[in-house]
Amino acid sequence: MARSGRLRSGAAAKLKRWRKGHSSDSNPETRQHRLAARSRFCSRPAEKSNLTVDAVKLHNELQSGSLRLERASDSTQFRMEEDSAEEAATEKSSGTFLSGLSDCTNITFSKVQRFWESNSAAHKEICAVLAAVTEVIRSQGGKESETEYFAALMTTLEAVESPESLSAVAYLLNLVLKRVPSPVLIKKFSDASKAFMSIVSSQACSNSTSALRWVLSCLATLLRKQDLAAWSYPVTLQVYHGLLSFCVHTKPKVRKAAQYGVCSVLRGSEFMFGDAAPEHHPAAPSTAKFCVQEIEKAGGAKEATTTLHVLALLRDVLPCFPAAVVKTCCETLLRVMTLSHVLVTACAMQAFHSLFSAQTSVACLPADLNAQIITALYDYVPSTSDLQPLLTWLSTMERAHINLGRLQKDLCWAHLPRLFSTTMNCFLSPHSQVVSAAAQTLETLLTECIAPHMEDMGTVSASAPAPAAYLCKMFRSVEEGLTYRFHAAWDKVLRVLEIFFETCGKQCHPIMRKCLQSLCDLRLSPHFPYMAEVDQAVGAAVSTMGPEVLLETVPLEINGKEETLDFPRSWLLPVLRDNVQGARLGFFTSYFLPLAATLKNRALEFTQAGKSVEAKIYDTLQWQVWTLLPGFCTRPTDVLGAFKGLARTLGMAISERPDLRPTVCQALRTLIHKGCETDAERAEVGRFAKNFLPILFNVYSQPEENGGTSAQRRSVLDTVRAYLTITDPQMVCGFLEKASEKLTSPESSEFTRLSILDLVVAMAPYADEQSLDSLYHTIQPSLQSKERSMQKKAYRVLEEVCAAPHAPCQAFVRSHLQDLQAALLDSLKSAASPAKRPRLKCLFHIVKQLSAEHEPFVTALVPEVILCTKEVSVGARKNAFMLLVEMGHAFIRFGPTPEEAMQRFLLLIYVGLTGSVTMISCTVLALTRLFFEFKDHLEFSVVEQLLQNICLLLASRTRDVVKAALGFLKVTLLLVDTKLLAKHVQTMLEAVGNLSDDMRRHFRMKLRNLFIKFIRKFGFELVKGLLPAEYHKVLVNIRKAESRSRKQRALKKAAADMDEEEAPARQPRGDSMEEILADSEDEEEEEEERHRSKEWRKQARQKGQAWLKEGENDEPLNFLDPNVSQRVLATKPGPKQSRGVSHDFQMSEDGRLIIHEEEEELDDDEAKGADEEMADVLQDVGPRSKKSQKRRFREDPDDEEAEAGTYSQYKAGGSGIHRPLKKEPAFGAEYRSKKGKGDVKKKGQLDPYAYIPLNRAKLNRRKRAKMQGQFKGLMKGAQRGAKAGRRNRLKSQRS
């Protein structure tokens, strides 16, 4: 190895060096390799030429005209399989060796055009053939249609001789055949099939499989396009049988292509989708016969390779067979499964699974045959220790019973008890996957086979006949899972019971009472680990059976006379609270109300006796009882009969029990929204409005000491709003009149008047026109009141009246439109800031109803609306922008044309640009929003004039004005087309470039985002040339960041595409035709194929191994036992080995973990749409409160700080003002002794040993020696300390 160090003398002068800091200024001048590569870009490659003897022969024949294209004369009559793109005329360019490929206009070969950059010889051959064929078609005046390519490629197929050219032509034929019109393929079936079969016969034993697989795919497409009559000819079946014979070929790719082809023919032939489609394909019986013969021919061979290939084919085509053939095939599958070959059994199970999952008609799989297969499969139940076979068996039986339930419900229910019993045995498996799969199977069967038919059944008892008896057997099987031998799987059993309660609880509660008792007793067991699961199961029972059934079965055992305070069943109260619905409201009145009263009296007794703990317990219990009321009010069944007995108690609770007030109010709201489903129920509850509303009004009008907290008052007000929806309007008018009297009464305090105004706001939308007129005159003086709260509430009343959809409110607004306009204009000067939000909303609803004669009113509102765009209140700013947009729509309504109307409206806005600084910034903001909303109604000359004025405003010395102007430029870049904006780029960039240093520094992040948009729209060089030099550094940084983000996106996309390409192609499961007819794009080399084939066979041999499980306690295995097949395991029996801890990190060759840092996020700016951009602009404007500024700093730091990875974030360090304010404690400081040196042990904490923190920097090879030295010093120090401690102990012992 050469000695590292300085260069030898004289060598340094020969090296080219850059000045310090200028290494990236330009590319090096010496670039001989690049020039050499560029000169060879379009030349012929030197290593291997495409100019073969076959290519020259083909070229000569095509040029001499001996090969003529067979063109269809009336091709317009042919129906295309897919809509082809319109043929585009292309200009003739200079010819190269890629002419005919790069400019091929037929979209069928779009995927081939990406092959020309490939280094694969097969891809180059495909490109050469396509280019030659395209040139021939053009030379003869062709239109490059699919039919012409088909004719040319078929002619070429007969002429080529080399395997490479044959593969290329076959691949192109495979692509184009899918798009050739069906009549052409029907007419040319004889010639095409003869040509294909001759190639198949010649290539059948060839080592190269590329041509064979593409020709087989062509054969399948050709057969799929034939009509029904063609299948009555022997030649068609003969061709099909030739394709079918390759389904057991030894080469995987050939076999796969043949199986895909057979499946596509049987399931995707065109005549199978017509009106007169047969029930099954004519070739289905012969296909089934072939499969049965091949399986019988293979017999019980040790490898069973052919059998596995046929089973793979049957898995895809079995649902296509008629019923008689399906029965024969299923019998064959069952016979094959007796061989106890693990892979054969698994493949046969997959075939059964696909048959049941296909949900075929009765013509394919009758219900009787389905039931017979289910019965037969019980002879092949795997052992509970055999993981994968048992999972497959469970999945197959689940699909079998679901399909049987679809065909015949009674027969399905008759077979379900046995499956439930067998599946429950799987809960004893040592594999958690098996337990989870068994539970999932039972849940699926309950939801798909049982639940749809439960509404038709009556109450199920233990002695009920079938089908109720089947439900009893199923539930008994699941209930047995609560015994101790299933304790390891109790969580899964409880989940199945929960589904059972949800599905059948309403009808089957007589047979489930004992199980409920067992669950409640089980929950009381000490250290029971599944209390949450029990609560969920009991909750499901409550929601379906009702609380009455539960409490009859499991009494609450709380009556207020307890000697101890254990209350073992108190856990039922929260469960009832969370799950009660659809119950009888009368049950709460008769059972829980007396209980709550008893518990409250008991609590009072303990309070008087001075026993505060016992009093608190009973008070909590009575409160929990009351919390059940909202659940009972959710869809109750007896509102008409029970509510009148409960109403008085609820009214007293609201007025006299502040602790129960939120619960009772919630119950009333729930009853109104979710319990009154009919008009009669709404009328019954609304009948008591005269009782409840005065109580609620009185409670809300009281100060917080008596009326409760602010949260309770809000709850009361929400309840008032809910009750008003079902109250008689005349009663509302009476309440409104009394409220108006109290408002004008001098005896009312300010709190009372504000509370009454809140109630008036709630009642106003439901009053009639006469009452609204009286109310308007009552609140009109308050619009100019100096008390801000009163003014705001008055505007809230007007807002509710103007926004209400009811007819009286709309009639009032129309009749008082002039008065409202005058009142709102008169109160403009006295409008307080808190009243702006409801005032603007009120104006918004009024402007909606204005016509052309009211234009002066809208004009008078413009200055106020513009200034309100920078109000302190977020709601006021939002309403101001909404009103501004609505005013624009009003001017468009006023006419005469939208363009003239917007021109007239903008002239009113422009006046604001001559006002104060605040008015200018608000006006720019208003113009930005109007430009965004009405861009389609603005002429470009108006936009140009507006843009020039905004650019002038960038020279302002006020930050608010500049900020608003930058926002306008941002929206302009987003909305205006690049071509229209190009002539104004210089003006815009010059205005931005002339910003003062203070402005540029303050708005650096906004300018950066703006420059990003300019560069994306107009390019880096143009933007750089139009901006001063002080901006160039930022622009270069932006370009680097953009380039880096583009590269990262490209890498991610390439990685995703590579993952998609490398993903193995799945076998078609019969879920959709797209999977069957999908193109195979596998273009890998033959060596890779053979290598993968060897690997697959190796894995198959490993998977094919089987084990015999001996008898327990060393008992010999009885081979005459009928269940001996369960002793053949695919999983090696024995103790389960624990696997190592798996992590998601890669590992290097020397054993170090490779941990990738998180990639920086993409620029959010690219993904933002126009609406989000506008929202960002509007969010930036206006003064913010301290809270909003803090929240924005926390949630959106990107607007104020540089992007991570672009600018380094400042970290405090040094002395003085740069010192760090928060010092982190040293590692291990908590063990430091306060009295002397060294560390001390602390009780309850780890020993103070030297734990070395992990640090990525210590993996650096260059610093390895330094790190080793540190650790050596650490060890030496520890050793010296240990020696010193030992000497000290010896001295103390001697003394």
Side-chain angles (χ1 to χ4, degrees), residues 1217-1237:
I1217 62 173
H1218 303 289
R1219 69 188 186 280
L1221 298 179
K1222 293 183 178 180
K1223 291 186 177 181
E1224 296 183 358
F1227 186 75
E1230 61 270 20
Y1231 295 103
R1232 187 169 298 163
S1233 175
K1234 296 180 180 178
K1235 298 180 179 179
K1237 295 183 178 180

Side-chain angles (χ1 to χ4, degrees), residues 722-735:
Y723 225 118
L724 286 170
T725 60
I726 58 172
T727 305
D728 183 31
Q730 295 300 324
M731 190 180 298
V732 176
C733 295
F735 289 138

Side-chain angles (χ1 to χ4, degrees), residues 1197-1210:
D1198 291 340
D1199 287 347
E1200 302 297 334
E1201 299 178 359
E1203 293 178 353
T1206 305
Y1207 298 111
S1208 60
Q1209 296 183 356
Y1210 172 74

Side-chain angles (χ1 to χ4, degrees), residues 9 69 134 322 346 392 433 737 743 891 958 1026 1156 1165 1170 1174:
S9 177
L69 299 178
T134 304
T392 306
Q433 300 98 314
E737 184 178 354
L743 276 177
F891 268 87
T958 308
L1026 295 176
H1156 298 281
D1165 220 19
M1174 193 64 211

